[in-house]
């Protein structure tokens, strides 16, 4: 029954994802991708549980997983933020002037 | 903290993830959306740390510190032109993490058939995301050849690897030891499969591959979520999976190809375009300046070549001079220009081009007849009229930006070599086309100098 319950969540989230993303303008495709990429670092939650576990092998695997997931999460959000900060409307872009 | 409270935290995180992604869909709210999503991640991580199954924190702290330093430095240092490579590496990192989480679940989880199957799935998807992303990185960074790598019997080899994956997964599930030889075989074959899946894809198709790998990294997190029975992994992972699929689909449509065609076309026979013959008409910077000076509307059409030449800043400068001169300036961007979805938009935004000047293909084409000058900078396939006219062309049917309908077209090109896909481009011989040879950045800088003198 647990499996069915999880599959139910999966099905609903996929439909929700399609609805959420389908109308994103082309301008934002790269930030959307790197932002979504950072979200996929949610696997960090699983990594933390493994790394803090009493089982030794699981701790080693988990610690490695924590490193890679953190790279994904921290790097993903920061780079997305850096990109988004560059998108300006016409007036805003003019007032800050061009930095070549 | 009780399991119930932790799951309440996960619900809050899920809500924030959903709003965050929704807000990423509009330039006005995107920055806040990204922050919301980051808060969601923080909440999910913090409530997880309160789980009573976590008995020691030292390895967690070590891992988080190392990961934060690597991620933060990479995110700060990366050039905007190298963004596709960066996203590929982050993707691979997430995939590898999911593989490891699945693997670790074997040691501290149960060994019900359901868990075993999901462990095998997270190893498979995580593994192929990781190795596939590394190959994509290699191609984008041009550490390896960016052309499609094909060899005879490639399909057979891939089919055998797939069979091997299924067989080793089944054998592993039937005899689930934590040190089962089949587990290692499965890990190895998954990594190999990721490599084999990406090598036959050419550099020009990279936007599709990056989107698809993005989707896989979400699905890998999803599979890991099943393996450790965790809701938030499933919710967030499938949101990313869906986002990646949508982008993949947009990219495929922009090339008028099916996903299967992109993934497997390296195997098929390549059609050769009808060779066009004609005479190119070169133009000097001075003459180009005279035409631009009298133009009332100018549209720039950037491609990957602009990124390579790092010409985005001088392009913006020229655009501002033209505007000051009274011309209406737009930037027409093809959905698959560059090496990842939206690549050109990011580069122009970096150069301070306001996003309301960036025009999508479907909006610019109907008014192309009224554009005085279209300036093509480092783009080739996305402006190739053969896509409309030549049924033998490999890109026949792909929607293009119809620059040949503009009154005058300037094509900036290093020399007369054919573009990335080796397609001959009749645009170069067009009646209204003038070729401005030389490095794109230098050519534009010359025009800027003409304007200033």
């Amino acid at each position: 029954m647990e499996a069915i319950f999880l599959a139910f969540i999966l099905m609903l989230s996929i439909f929700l994802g399609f609805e959420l993303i389908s109308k994103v303008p082309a301008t934002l495709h790269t930030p959307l991708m790197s932002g979504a990429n950072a979200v996929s670092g949610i696997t960090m939650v699983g990594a933390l549980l493994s790394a803090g576990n009493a089982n030794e092998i699981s701790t080693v695997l988990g610690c490695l997983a924590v490193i890679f997931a953190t790279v994904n999460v921290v790097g993903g959000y920061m780079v997305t933020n850096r990109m988004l900060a560059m998108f300006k409307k016409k007036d805003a872009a003019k007032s800050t002037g061009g930095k070549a | 903290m009780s399991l119930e409270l932790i799951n309440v935290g996960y619900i809050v995180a899920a809500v924030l993830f959903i709003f965050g992604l929704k807000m990423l869909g509009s330039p006005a709210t995107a920055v806040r959306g990204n922050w919301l999503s980051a808060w969601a991640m923080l909440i999910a991580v913090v409530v997880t740390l309160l789980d009573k199954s976590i008995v020691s924190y030292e390895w967690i702290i070590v891992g988080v510190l190392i990961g934060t330093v690597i991620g933060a430095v990479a995110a700060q240092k990366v050039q905007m032109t190298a963004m596709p490579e960066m996203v590929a590496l982050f993707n691979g990192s997430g995939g590898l993490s999911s593989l490891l989480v699945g693997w670790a679940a074997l040691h501290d989880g149960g060994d019900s058939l359901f868990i075993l199957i999901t462990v095998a799935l997270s190893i498979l998807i995580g593994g192929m995301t990781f190795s596939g992303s590394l190959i994509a990185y290699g191609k984008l960074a041009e550490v390896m050849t960016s052309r499609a790598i094909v060899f005879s019997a490639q399909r057979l080899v891939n089919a055998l690897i797939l069979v091997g994956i299924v067989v080793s997964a089944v054998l592993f599930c039937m005899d689930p030891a934590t040190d089962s030889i089949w587990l290692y075989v499965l890990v190895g074959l998954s990594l190999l499969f990721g490599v084999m899946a990406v090598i036959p894809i050419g550099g020009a198709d990279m936007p599709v591959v990056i989107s698809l790998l993005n989707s896989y990294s979400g699905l890998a997190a999803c599979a890991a979520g099943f393996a450790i029975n965790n809701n938030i992994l499933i919710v967030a992972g499938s949101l990313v999976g869906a986002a990646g699929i949508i982008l993949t689909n947009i990219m495929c449509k922009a090339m008028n190809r099916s996903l299967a065609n992109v993934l497997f076309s390296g195997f098929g026979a390549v059609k050769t375009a009808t060779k066009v013959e004609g005479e190119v008409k070169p133009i000097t910077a001075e003459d180009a300046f005279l035409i631009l000076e009298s133009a009332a509307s100018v549209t720039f059409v950037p491609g990957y070549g602009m990124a390579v030449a790092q010409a985005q800043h001088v392009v913006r400068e020229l655009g501002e001079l033209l505007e000051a001169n009274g011309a209406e300036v737009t930037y027409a961007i093809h959905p698959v220009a560059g090496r990842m979805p939206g690549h050109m938009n990011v580069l122009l935004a970096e150069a301070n081009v306001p996003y309301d000047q960036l025009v999508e293909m479907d909006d610019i084409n109907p008014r192309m007849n009224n554009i005085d000058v279209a300036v093509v900078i480092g783009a080739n396939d996305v402006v190739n009229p053969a896509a409309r006219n030549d049924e033998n062309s490999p890109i026949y049917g792909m929607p293009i930006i119809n620059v040949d309908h503009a009154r005058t077209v300037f094509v900036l090109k290093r020399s007369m070599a054919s573009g990335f896909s080796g397609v001959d481009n009749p645009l170069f011989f067009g009646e209204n086309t003038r070729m401005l040879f030389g490095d794109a950045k230098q050519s534009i800088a010359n025009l800027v100098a003409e304007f200033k003198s």
Side-chain angles (χ1 to χ4, degrees):
Chain A
M1 197 55 207
E2 189 73 28
I4 299 297
F5 172 65
L6 293 177
F8 207 74
I9 294 179
L10 172 73
M11 187 269 294
L12 288 176
S13 327
I14 288 180
F15 275 101
L16 178 62
F18 279 126
E19 285 301 313
L20 278 179
I21 318 285
S22 59
K23 289 170 214 83
V24 174
T27 307
L28 287 174
H29 279 167
T30 297
L32 171 71
M33 176 168 284
S34 72
N37 187 222
V39 175
S40 74
I42 188 68
T43 191
M44 184 172 178
V45 164
L48 293 173
L49 291 171
S50 309
N53 199 276
N55 181 306
E56 261 177 46
I57 303 174
S58 156
T59 307
V60 174
L61 291 172
C63 178
L64 286 172
V66 169
I67 296 177
F68 288 111
T70 314
V71 169
N72 193 185
V73 168
V74 174
Y77 281 119
M78 282 180 67
V79 96
T80 308
N81 196 50
R82 217 183 117 196
M83 272 191 276
L84 289 173
M86 300 184 312
F87 284 94
K88 296 187 191 79
K89 268 190 101 86
K90 193 157 189 175
D91 304 331
K94 281 282 147 53
S95 61
T96 53
K99 51 163 177 56
Chain B
M1 204 183 211
S2 73
L3 205 57
E4 282 75 26
L5 273 176
I6 289 176
N7 273 297
V8 170
Y10 286 165
I11 292 175
V12 175
V15 171
L16 291 179
F17 274 133
I18 290 165
F19 274 108
L21 278 176
K22 171 116 192 120
M23 288 164 79
L24 265 180
S26 149
T29 56
V31 177
R32 266 187 297 148
N34 191 48
W35 274 108
L36 271 192
S37 164
W39 277 109
M41 188 64 76
L42 188 67
I43 291 172
V45 165
V46 170
V47 297
T48 306
L49 288 174
L50 302 173
D51 190 305
K52 57 183 178 298
S53 75
I54 296 184
V55 290
S56 76
Y57 286 91
E58 56 242 67
W59 288 108
I60 292 179
I61 295 170
V62 170
V64 169
L65 281 179
I66 298 176
T68 305
V69 170
I70 299 176
V73 170
Q76 285 303 312
K77 292 264 181 232
V78 64
Q79 294 263 330
M80 285 301 143
T81 39
M83 199 50 78
E85 290 96 302
M86 192 82 263
V87 171
L89 282 184
F90 286 156
N91 246 336
S93 194
L96 182 56
S97 178
S98 294
L99 182 157
L100 292 167
V101 169
W103 194 339
L106 202 59
H107 289 269
D108 51 47
D111 56 357
S112 74
L113 185 62
F114 176 69
I115 289 181
L116 290 171
I117 293 173
T118 53
V119 165
L121 266 179
S122 35
I123 289 177
L124 169 62
I125 308 176
M128 63 182 288
T129 307
F130 172 63
S131 58
S133 298
L134 283 189
I135 297 293
Y137 167 80
K139 285 185 175 233
L140 289 164
E142 298 191 349
V143 180
M144 58 185 286
T145 172
S146 52
R147 293 196 173 270
I149 298 174
V150 283
F151 54 87
S152 54
Q154 197 158 6
R155 276 173 202 240
L156 183 67
V157 172
N158 286 354
L160 286 177
I161 295 174
L162 258 180
V163 170
I165 287 173
V166 173
V167 169
S168 54
V170 169
L171 287 172
F172 162 70
C173 290
M174 280 164 49
D175 181 23
T178 50
D179 59 347
S180 164
I181 177 78
W182 296 112
L183 179 66
Y184 298 109
V185 173
L186 181 61
V187 172
L189 286 178
S190 304
L191 293 173
L192 183 62
F193 191 65
V195 173
M196 296 302 285
V198 179
I199 55 169
I201 299 171
D205 290 339
M206 273 301 147
V208 179
V209 179
I210 299 284
S211 316
L212 196 61
L213 287 169
N214 195 35
S215 177
Y216 287 168
S217 73
L219 295 178
C222 231
F226 275 98
I228 62 169
N229 192 359
N230 187 308
N231 290 336
I232 191 71
L233 257 71
I234 297 176
V235 172
S238 49
L239 289 177
V240 178
I245 294 282
I246 286 179
L247 283 175
T248 309
N249 200 20
I250 293 174
M251 296 301 116
C252 285
K253 266 195 199 144
M255 296 197 290
N256 189 37
R257 293 164 67 186
S258 68
L259 181 58
N261 183 269
V262 173
L263 296 181
F264 305 118
S265 67
F267 300 114
V270 178
K271 288 200 281 187
T272 41
T274 317
K275 292 277 178 195
V276 272
E277 301 223 329
E279 201 182 348
V280 294
K281 299 176 225 39
I283 191 171
T284 60
E286 295 87 67
D287 293 341
F289 159 70
L290 292 175
I291 297 176
L292 281 176
E293 198 195 17
S294 57
S297 53
V298 178
T299 191
F300 291 98
V301 185
Y304 185 58
M306 184 185 77
V308 175
Q310 293 277 4
Q312 63 271 29
H313 298 284
V314 275
V315 169
R316 190 259 312 149
E317 210 182 339
L318 180 60
E320 282 179 359
L321 288 168
L322 286 166
E323 275 202 304
N325 193 39
E328 186 204 343
V329 176
T330 49
Y331 299 81
I333 298 179
H334 193 280
V336 293
R339 288 290 180 270
M340 74 182 293
H343 192 189
M344 292 299 120
N345 306 70
V346 169
L347 287 184
L348 290 170
E350 185 203 11
N352 244 334
V353 172
Y355 62 77
D356 26 12
Q357 278 186 343
L358 310 181
V359 191
E360 292 184 29
M361 173 172 66
D362 295 336
D363 297 324
I364 193 77
N365 274 342
R367 51 195 172 103
M368 194 54 94
N369 289 322
N370 298 320
I371 301 279
D372 287 332
V373 185
V375 186
V376 179
I377 309 164
N380 185 4
D381 289 354
V382 298
V383 291
N384 189 344
R388 286 198 315 262
N389 311 326
D390 178 9
E391 282 184 39
N392 294 321
S393 168
I395 60 166
Y396 180 69
M398 166 173 156
I400 59 159
I401 297 181
N402 297 324
V403 286
D404 52 324
H405 291 174
R407 293 196 181 100
T408 309
V409 187
F410 291 162
V411 178
L412 275 67
K413 206 161 160 45
R414 189 171 287 279
S415 61
M416 239 355 245
S418 60
F420 196 93
S421 64
V423 180
D424 288 66
N425 194 339
L427 175 72
F428 301 155
F429 306 125
E431 196 55 42
N432 52 350
T433 304
R434 297 291 177 274
M435 306 295 290
L436 191 50
F437 287 116
D439 174 67
K441 190 175 176 181
Q442 192 55 50
S443 300
I444 299 276
N446 291 343
L447 289 172
V448 170
E450 288 284 339
F451 259 97
K452 284 182 173 166
S453 65

